[in-house]
Amino acid sequence: MFKKANFLFDFGALRLTNFSFFDLLLKLSALFLVLLPVLIFIVLFINSLPAIEHLGLSVFTTNNWDPVNDKFGVIAPLFVTVMVGVISTIFGLMISTPIALFLSFYSRGKISSFFSTVIDALASIPSVVLGLWAIFYVAPHIDKIETIIKTLFGFIPFLNGTPSPFGLFTTILILTLMLVPIQTVLIKELIILVPKSLIEAGFSLGITKFEIVKCLILPFIREGIIAVIFLSLARGMEETMATAMLIGNRPFFPNSLFSPTATLTSIIANEFAEAFSRIYLSVLFELGLILFILVFTTNVLAKLLLRLLYRRA
Amino acid sequence: MRFIIDKVFQIFTLSVAIFVSLVLAFILFQLIKDGISSLSINFFTETARPVGSSSGGFKQAIVGSIIIDSLAMVIIVSLSILGGLYLHLYSGSLFAKFLKEAMSLLQGTPTIVCGICVYYIVVKQMGHFSGLAGSIALALVGIPYMVLASEQIFNMTPTLLLEAAYSLGLSRTRVIFYVVLRFAKFPLLAISLLTLARIAGETAPLLFTAFGNSFLELNPTRPMAAIPLQIFIYAISPYDEWHRLAWAGALVLITFVTVLSIILGRYRRLGE
């Protein structure tokens, strides 16, 4: 009889009729992995219970942030979080859609791969480095742009504030820059899904590339773009470091587009280490819970949309 | 007219692409300019000094990052390979679907939320901040990418090879060890390095877990410094010397991340 000495990991020898240790290990770790998000949710929920009991719904109806007197209202940071996400998503789409079109439709070969590398490099810059760059090279010059916007569009109430280096506008600019690579990659994948025969048919009719983009590609990827919007909205709302470094950390409603304010993430990042009372800490966990649910909902909406789209395609 | 609009639009897309490249070039140029001018031997050999002394470096942060990231990678790689194998072997089962949903849910979890959860689970139980807690928080960020990517890698094993192995009468465990894992060796390595590049720049999960430390610390159960954390602390400080150190740290970090992701650019898509 030959021996199976050449097998180093002889887990098979431990097999009873229908059982192996390795299989058990696999199942246990899969179970553990499935429980991770549940665990996160439970931890957030348990820790926000004191705040929920103490403050109740007043968190969502009042607008004051006064830790000394245990008064917390998140309506302003919640609003700002969503607003920052929405505006930078829209700005990002205005940049990333042309780039995606350029990469997948207008250019090929070396030029295309060069700009793809650019997008990849932009995606790989950590947000803390982007924040550092913005503090020293964007923030000091931002008031000039803000003054221009003010003189041009000052008649709109929200665009008529005192320019300030750190605030909503700076944050939105940097977040836009962070969202562009993600959106570009996603939109590029969508454009690739457009059937080649459709585009060739368009060319054979003698219409221009712009008309193909306008009448064939854009309508075809419309639902996909909505999913991309939700995905990048979630990214924009959860982004922490650049926001915490640039938004100014003043947890009240912004007076204008230029004024400093705060988001859910920036409040957690800046105040967690100095939360002195139990309620204060618990409120910060509740902010985390709200953020988690917010991002979760947007992500699920995006996934559902994408799934519907791919089923049809 | 139609052709003019066409050309204008074409030039518009090109100019937007060039504009974004210029912004990137600006960032990289200013990063390299400010980074190199403040990079010195001291940066690598000295730990943080109080404000006022002109020297001082990032040694504690570099060492801390190496320890925190390698511990995190151990957790990520071991758990993710098991999770990926589960998805590969039991694909189609209800629980595998659950696992996939859980991973995409974890992928969407804000990183700072991972940070405060680990704060409650680990830091509060231990009584103090620790590098280990930082590794666990980073692992929470990295695991979903790696699980989903490793499943795709395992699914790429040629069916012919699998059939041959099974027809020899090997048990499933052995097929995993001798065929699936061996075939996936290099892609797995690439994906792990990409995950490393991804978590190396993460700051938010470290804020309330590793917390930072101005002294060299080799014991992962103590508070530890990390490069991104140190950049953040120095960037928002009011001192010029510290700003210079932050730039040098940023240059080191970005060099590391870019080198990793450019080398492995081919495998990038798998991670997303």
Side-chain angles (χ1 to χ4, degrees), chain A residues 45-91:
Chain A
F45 189 71
I46 287 177
N47 281 290
S48 8
L49 270 180
I52 295 173
E53 272 170 19
H54 185 79
L55 299 166
L57 278 177
S58 73
V59 173
F60 293 108
T61 52
T62 56
N63 174 35
N64 51 351
W65 190 263
D66 187 5
V68 182
N69 296 316
D70 274 355
K71 287 204 164 51
F72 302 94
V74 299
I75 179 167
L78 185 62
F79 169 76
V80 173
T81 306
V82 177
M83 187 173 73
V84 164
V86 169
I87 299 181
S88 44
T89 301
I90 295 171
F91 279 3

Short mmCIF file of all heavy atoms in Angstrom, two decimals, chain A residues 45-91:
data_model
loop_
_atom_site.label_atom_id
_atom_site.label_comp_id
_atom_site.label_asym_id
_atom_site.label_seq_id
_atom_site.Cartn_x
_atom_site.Cartn_y
_atom_site.Cartn_z
N PHE A 45 -26.89 50.79 17.27
CA PHE A 45 -28.22 50.94 17.85
C PHE A 45 -28.15 50.96 19.38
O PHE A 45 -28.73 51.84 20.02
CB PHE A 45 -29.12 49.81 17.36
CG PHE A 45 -30.56 50.02 17.73
CD1 PHE A 45 -31.31 51.01 17.11
CD2 PHE A 45 -31.15 49.25 18.71
CE1 PHE A 45 -32.63 51.22 17.46
CE2 PHE A 45 -32.47 49.46 19.07
CZ PHE A 45 -33.21 50.44 18.44
N ILE A 46 -27.41 50.00 19.95
CA ILE A 46 -27.29 49.94 21.41
C ILE A 46 -26.74 51.24 21.95
O ILE A 46 -27.25 51.80 22.93
CB ILE A 46 -26.37 48.77 21.83
CG1 ILE A 46 -27.08 47.44 21.62
CG2 ILE A 46 -25.97 48.90 23.29
CD1 ILE A 46 -26.22 46.26 21.93
N ASN A 47 -25.70 51.77 21.27
CA ASN A 47 -25.07 52.97 21.78
C ASN A 47 -25.90 54.21 21.56
O ASN A 47 -25.70 55.22 22.24
CB ASN A 47 -23.69 53.15 21.15
CG ASN A 47 -22.68 52.26 21.80
OD1 ASN A 47 -22.32 52.46 22.93
ND2 ASN A 47 -22.27 51.23 21.08
N SER A 48 -26.82 54.18 20.58
CA SER A 48 -27.63 55.38 20.41
C SER A 48 -28.87 55.34 21.30
O SER A 48 -29.57 56.34 21.39
CB SER A 48 -28.04 55.60 18.96
OG SER A 48 -27.70 54.55 18.17
N LEU A 49 -29.15 54.20 21.95
CA LEU A 49 -30.36 54.11 22.78
C LEU A 49 -30.45 55.22 23.82
O LEU A 49 -31.51 55.85 23.92
CB LEU A 49 -30.43 52.73 23.45
CG LEU A 49 -31.16 51.67 22.63
CD1 LEU A 49 -31.19 50.35 23.38
CD2 LEU A 49 -32.57 52.11 22.29
N PRO A 50 -29.38 55.52 24.60
CA PRO A 50 -29.52 56.60 25.57
C PRO A 50 -29.95 57.91 24.93
O PRO A 50 -30.81 58.62 25.47
CB PRO A 50 -28.11 56.71 26.17
CG PRO A 50 -27.50 55.40 25.96
CD PRO A 50 -28.09 54.85 24.70
N ALA A 51 -29.36 58.22 23.79
CA ALA A 51 -29.71 59.47 23.11
C ALA A 51 -31.15 59.42 22.62
O ALA A 51 -31.89 60.40 22.73
CB ALA A 51 -28.76 59.72 21.94
N ILE A 52 -31.54 58.27 22.08
CA ILE A 52 -32.91 58.17 21.56
C ILE A 52 -33.91 58.33 22.71
O ILE A 52 -34.90 59.05 22.60
CB ILE A 52 -33.11 56.82 20.83
CG1 ILE A 52 -32.22 56.76 19.59
CG2 ILE A 52 -34.57 56.63 20.45
CD1 ILE A 52 -32.21 55.43 18.91
N GLU A 53 -33.61 57.71 23.87
CA GLU A 53 -34.50 57.83 25.02
C GLU A 53 -34.53 59.27 25.53
O GLU A 53 -35.59 59.81 25.84
CB GLU A 53 -34.02 56.91 26.15
CG GLU A 53 -34.58 55.51 26.06
CD GLU A 53 -33.90 54.59 27.05
OE1 GLU A 53 -33.29 55.10 28.01
OE2 GLU A 53 -33.96 53.37 26.84
N HIS A 54 -33.35 59.85 25.62
CA HIS A 54 -33.25 61.16 26.25
C HIS A 54 -33.82 62.25 25.36
O HIS A 54 -34.52 63.15 25.83
CB HIS A 54 -31.78 61.45 26.55
CG HIS A 54 -31.56 62.72 27.30
ND1 HIS A 54 -31.78 62.83 28.65
CD2 HIS A 54 -31.17 63.94 26.88
CE1 HIS A 54 -31.52 64.06 29.03
NE2 HIS A 54 -31.15 64.77 27.98
N LEU A 55 -33.51 62.19 24.08
CA LEU A 55 -33.88 63.30 23.20
C LEU A 55 -35.12 63.01 22.38
O LEU A 55 -35.83 63.93 21.99
CB LEU A 55 -32.70 63.63 22.26
CG LEU A 55 -31.42 64.06 22.96
CD1 LEU A 55 -30.26 64.02 21.99
CD2 LEU A 55 -31.57 65.46 23.52
N GLY A 56 -35.36 61.75 22.12
CA GLY A 56 -36.54 61.40 21.33
C GLY A 56 -36.47 62.00 19.95
O GLY A 56 -35.41 62.04 19.32
N LEU A 57 -37.60 62.50 19.50
CA LEU A 57 -37.66 63.04 18.14
C LEU A 57 -37.12 64.45 18.06
O LEU A 57 -36.99 65.00 16.97
CB LEU A 57 -39.11 63.01 17.64
CG LEU A 57 -39.57 61.67 17.09
CD1 LEU A 57 -41.03 61.73 16.70
CD2 LEU A 57 -38.73 61.26 15.88
N SER A 58 -36.79 65.04 19.21
CA SER A 58 -36.33 66.43 19.17
C SER A 58 -35.02 66.55 18.38
O SER A 58 -34.68 67.62 17.91
CB SER A 58 -36.13 66.96 20.59
OG SER A 58 -34.98 66.37 21.16
N VAL A 59 -34.33 65.42 18.23
CA VAL A 59 -33.11 65.43 17.43
C VAL A 59 -33.42 65.88 16.00
O VAL A 59 -32.68 66.64 15.39
CB VAL A 59 -32.48 64.02 17.41
CG1 VAL A 59 -31.33 63.97 16.45
CG2 VAL A 59 -32.03 63.64 18.80
N PHE A 60 -34.55 65.42 15.51
CA PHE A 60 -34.88 65.72 14.11
C PHE A 60 -35.67 67.01 13.95
O PHE A 60 -35.89 67.46 12.84
CB PHE A 60 -35.68 64.57 13.50
CG PHE A 60 -34.89 63.32 13.37
CD1 PHE A 60 -35.14 62.24 14.19
CD2 PHE A 60 -33.89 63.22 12.43
CE1 PHE A 60 -34.40 61.08 14.08
CE2 PHE A 60 -33.14 62.06 12.32
CZ PHE A 60 -33.40 61.00 13.14
N THR A 61 -36.16 67.58 15.03
CA THR A 61 -37.02 68.75 14.87
C THR A 61 -36.34 70.04 15.32
O THR A 61 -36.75 71.12 14.89
CB THR A 61 -38.33 68.58 15.67
OG1 THR A 61 -37.98 68.24 17.03
CG2 THR A 61 -39.19 67.49 15.09
N THR A 62 -35.32 69.94 16.17
CA THR A 62 -34.69 71.17 16.62
C THR A 62 -33.39 71.40 15.87
O THR A 62 -32.87 70.49 15.22
CB THR A 62 -34.37 71.12 18.12
OG1 THR A 62 -33.56 69.96 18.36
CG2 THR A 62 -35.64 71.05 18.94
N ASN A 63 -32.87 72.59 15.97
CA ASN A 63 -31.66 72.92 15.25
C ASN A 63 -30.69 73.66 16.17
O ASN A 63 -30.37 74.81 15.98
CB ASN A 63 -32.01 73.78 14.03
CG ASN A 63 -30.78 74.27 13.33
OD1 ASN A 63 -29.78 73.55 13.27
ND2 ASN A 63 -30.82 75.48 12.82
N ASN A 64 -30.27 73.00 17.25
CA ASN A 64 -29.23 73.61 18.06
C ASN A 64 -28.22 72.54 18.46
O ASN A 64 -28.55 71.37 18.60
CB ASN A 64 -29.81 74.30 19.30
CG ASN A 64 -30.73 73.37 20.05
OD1 ASN A 64 -31.06 72.29 19.56
ND2 ASN A 64 -31.16 73.77 21.22
N TRP A 65 -27.00 72.94 18.60
CA TRP A 65 -25.94 72.00 18.96
C TRP A 65 -25.26 72.59 20.18
O TRP A 65 -24.43 73.48 20.07
CB TRP A 65 -24.97 71.83 17.79
CG TRP A 65 -24.02 70.71 18.00
CD1 TRP A 65 -22.74 70.80 18.47
CD2 TRP A 65 -24.26 69.33 17.78
NE1 TRP A 65 -22.17 69.56 18.54
CE2 TRP A 65 -23.07 68.64 18.13
CE3 TRP A 65 -25.36 68.60 17.33
CZ2 TRP A 65 -22.96 67.26 18.03
CZ3 TRP A 65 -25.24 67.23 17.23
CH2 TRP A 65 -24.05 66.57 17.58
N ASP A 66 -25.66 72.11 21.35
CA ASP A 66 -25.19 72.70 22.59
C ASP A 66 -24.85 71.58 23.57
O ASP A 66 -25.64 71.26 24.46
CB ASP A 66 -26.29 73.61 23.17
CG ASP A 66 -25.79 74.37 24.37
OD1 ASP A 66 -24.59 74.26 24.69
OD2 ASP A 66 -26.60 75.07 24.99
N PRO A 67 -23.66 70.98 23.40
CA PRO A 67 -23.32 69.81 24.23
C PRO A 67 -23.32 70.11 25.72
O PRO A 67 -23.64 69.23 26.52
CB PRO A 67 -21.91 69.45 23.76
CG PRO A 67 -21.78 70.07 22.43
CD PRO A 67 -22.62 71.30 22.45
N VAL A 68 -23.00 71.35 26.11
CA VAL A 68 -22.92 71.66 27.54
C VAL A 68 -24.29 71.48 28.20
O VAL A 68 -24.40 70.98 29.31
CB VAL A 68 -22.41 73.10 27.74
CG1 VAL A 68 -22.27 73.42 29.21
CG2 VAL A 68 -21.06 73.26 27.04
N ASN A 69 -25.35 71.86 27.51
CA ASN A 69 -26.68 71.73 28.08
C ASN A 69 -27.43 70.51 27.54
O ASN A 69 -28.66 70.46 27.65
CB ASN A 69 -27.49 73.00 27.80
CG ASN A 69 -26.88 74.20 28.48
OD1 ASN A 69 -26.50 74.11 29.64
ND2 ASN A 69 -26.76 75.30 27.76
N ASP A 70 -26.70 69.57 26.97
CA ASP A 70 -27.32 68.36 26.44
C ASP A 70 -28.42 68.65 25.42
O ASP A 70 -29.45 67.98 25.39
CB ASP A 70 -27.91 67.52 27.58
CG ASP A 70 -26.85 66.61 28.16
OD1 ASP A 70 -25.74 66.60 27.61
OD2 ASP A 70 -27.13 65.92 29.15
N LYS A 71 -28.20 69.65 24.60
CA LYS A 71 -29.19 69.92 23.57
C LYS A 71 -28.57 69.63 22.21
O LYS A 71 -27.53 70.20 21.86
CB LYS A 71 -29.62 71.39 23.64
CG LYS A 71 -30.51 71.68 24.82
CD LYS A 71 -31.35 72.91 24.53
CE LYS A 71 -32.52 73.03 25.50
NZ LYS A 71 -32.09 72.91 26.91
N PHE A 72 -29.18 68.72 21.46
CA PHE A 72 -28.62 68.34 20.18
C PHE A 72 -29.72 68.31 19.14
O PHE A 72 -30.78 67.74 19.37
CB PHE A 72 -27.98 66.96 20.25
CG PHE A 72 -26.91 66.84 21.29
CD1 PHE A 72 -27.21 66.37 22.55
CD2 PHE A 72 -25.61 67.21 21.00
CE1 PHE A 72 -26.23 66.27 23.51
CE2 PHE A 72 -24.63 67.10 21.96
CZ PHE A 72 -24.93 66.64 23.21
N GLY A 73 -29.49 68.93 18.01
CA GLY A 73 -30.42 68.82 16.91
C GLY A 73 -29.63 68.55 15.65
O GLY A 73 -28.68 69.27 15.34
N VAL A 74 -29.96 67.48 14.93
CA VAL A 74 -29.11 67.11 13.79
C VAL A 74 -29.70 67.57 12.47
O VAL A 74 -29.16 67.25 11.43
CB VAL A 74 -28.88 65.59 13.72
CG1 VAL A 74 -28.19 65.12 14.95
CG2 VAL A 74 -30.18 64.87 13.50
N ILE A 75 -30.78 68.31 12.52
CA ILE A 75 -31.46 68.64 11.26
C ILE A 75 -30.52 69.38 10.32
O ILE A 75 -30.47 69.09 9.12
CB ILE A 75 -32.76 69.42 11.56
CG1 ILE A 75 -33.47 69.80 10.28
CG2 ILE A 75 -32.52 70.63 12.41
CD1 ILE A 75 -34.88 70.27 10.51
N ALA A 76 -29.68 70.28 10.87
CA ALA A 76 -28.77 71.03 10.01
C ALA A 76 -27.68 70.13 9.40
O ALA A 76 -27.52 70.10 8.18
CB ALA A 76 -28.16 72.19 10.77
N PRO A 77 -26.91 69.41 10.22
CA PRO A 77 -25.89 68.54 9.60
C PRO A 77 -26.46 67.49 8.66
O PRO A 77 -25.84 67.19 7.63
CB PRO A 77 -25.20 67.87 10.79
CG PRO A 77 -25.89 68.31 12.00
CD PRO A 77 -26.75 69.47 11.69
N LEU A 78 -27.64 66.99 8.99
CA LEU A 78 -28.26 66.00 8.10
C LEU A 78 -28.56 66.63 6.75
O LEU A 78 -28.22 66.08 5.70
CB LEU A 78 -29.56 65.49 8.75
CG LEU A 78 -30.28 64.37 8.04
CD1 LEU A 78 -29.41 63.14 7.95
CD2 LEU A 78 -31.57 64.03 8.76
N PHE A 79 -29.14 67.83 6.80
CA PHE A 79 -29.46 68.55 5.57
C PHE A 79 -28.18 68.83 4.78
O PHE A 79 -28.13 68.62 3.56
CB PHE A 79 -30.19 69.85 5.94
CG PHE A 79 -30.35 70.80 4.80
CD1 PHE A 79 -31.30 70.58 3.83
CD2 PHE A 79 -29.55 71.93 4.71
CE1 PHE A 79 -31.45 71.46 2.78
CE2 PHE A 79 -29.69 72.82 3.67
CZ PHE A 79 -30.64 72.58 2.70
N VAL A 80 -27.14 69.29 5.50
CA VAL A 80 -25.88 69.63 4.81
C VAL A 80 -25.26 68.38 4.19
O VAL A 80 -24.76 68.42 3.06
CB VAL A 80 -24.91 70.31 5.79
CG1 VAL A 80 -23.55 70.50 5.13
CG2 VAL A 80 -25.45 71.65 6.22
N THR A 81 -25.31 67.25 4.93
CA THR A 81 -24.74 66.01 4.39
C THR A 81 -25.37 65.66 3.06
O THR A 81 -24.67 65.39 2.07
CB THR A 81 -24.97 64.86 5.38
OG1 THR A 81 -24.47 65.23 6.64
CG2 THR A 81 -24.28 63.60 4.92
N VAL A 82 -26.71 65.69 3.03
CA VAL A 82 -27.40 65.34 1.79
C VAL A 82 -27.08 66.36 0.71
O VAL A 82 -26.81 66.00 -0.44
CB VAL A 82 -28.92 65.24 2.04
CG1 VAL A 82 -29.65 64.96 0.75
CG2 VAL A 82 -29.21 64.16 3.05
N MET A 83 -27.07 67.65 1.11
CA MET A 83 -26.84 68.69 0.11
C MET A 83 -25.45 68.57 -0.51
O MET A 83 -25.30 68.63 -1.74
CB MET A 83 -27.01 70.06 0.74
CG MET A 83 -26.95 71.17 -0.27
SD MET A 83 -27.34 72.74 0.46
CE MET A 83 -25.89 73.05 1.39
N VAL A 84 -24.44 68.39 0.35
CA VAL A 84 -23.07 68.25 -0.16
C VAL A 84 -23.01 67.06 -1.12
O VAL A 84 -22.45 67.16 -2.22
CB VAL A 84 -22.09 68.04 1.03
CG1 VAL A 84 -20.77 67.51 0.53
CG2 VAL A 84 -21.88 69.34 1.76
N GLY A 85 -23.64 65.94 -0.73
CA GLY A 85 -23.63 64.76 -1.59
C GLY A 85 -24.29 65.06 -2.93
O GLY A 85 -23.74 64.75 -3.99
N VAL A 86 -25.47 65.69 -2.89
CA VAL A 86 -26.22 65.91 -4.12
C VAL A 86 -25.47 66.87 -5.05
O VAL A 86 -25.27 66.57 -6.23
CB VAL A 86 -27.63 66.48 -3.80
CG1 VAL A 86 -28.32 66.96 -5.05
CG2 VAL A 86 -28.46 65.43 -3.11
N ILE A 87 -25.01 68.01 -4.49
CA ILE A 87 -24.37 69.00 -5.36
C ILE A 87 -23.09 68.44 -5.97
O ILE A 87 -22.83 68.58 -7.17
CB ILE A 87 -24.09 70.31 -4.59
CG1 ILE A 87 -25.40 70.89 -4.09
CG2 ILE A 87 -23.40 71.31 -5.50
CD1 ILE A 87 -25.23 72.19 -3.35
N SER A 88 -22.27 67.76 -5.14
CA SER A 88 -21.01 67.29 -5.72
C SER A 88 -21.27 66.14 -6.70
O SER A 88 -20.50 65.98 -7.66
CB SER A 88 -20.01 66.89 -4.65
OG SER A 88 -20.61 66.14 -3.66
N THR A 89 -22.35 65.37 -6.49
CA THR A 89 -22.68 64.36 -7.49
C THR A 89 -23.03 65.00 -8.82
O THR A 89 -22.57 64.56 -9.88
CB THR A 89 -23.86 63.51 -7.00
OG1 THR A 89 -23.51 62.91 -5.78
CG2 THR A 89 -24.22 62.45 -8.00
N ILE A 90 -23.83 66.08 -8.76
CA ILE A 90 -24.23 66.74 -10.01
C ILE A 90 -23.01 67.35 -10.72
O ILE A 90 -22.80 67.15 -11.92
CB ILE A 90 -25.30 67.81 -9.72
CG1 ILE A 90 -26.57 67.15 -9.20
CG2 ILE A 90 -25.62 68.62 -10.96
CD1 ILE A 90 -27.60 68.10 -8.67
N PHE A 91 -22.20 68.09 -9.93
CA PHE A 91 -20.98 68.66 -10.51
C PHE A 91 -20.11 67.55 -11.10
O PHE A 91 -19.56 67.68 -12.20
CB PHE A 91 -20.19 69.42 -9.45
CG PHE A 91 -20.69 70.80 -9.18
CD1 PHE A 91 -21.82 71.28 -9.82
CD2 PHE A 91 -20.04 71.63 -8.29
CE1 PHE A 91 -22.31 72.56 -9.57
CE2 PHE A 91 -20.50 72.92 -8.03
CZ PHE A 91 -21.64 73.37 -8.67
#
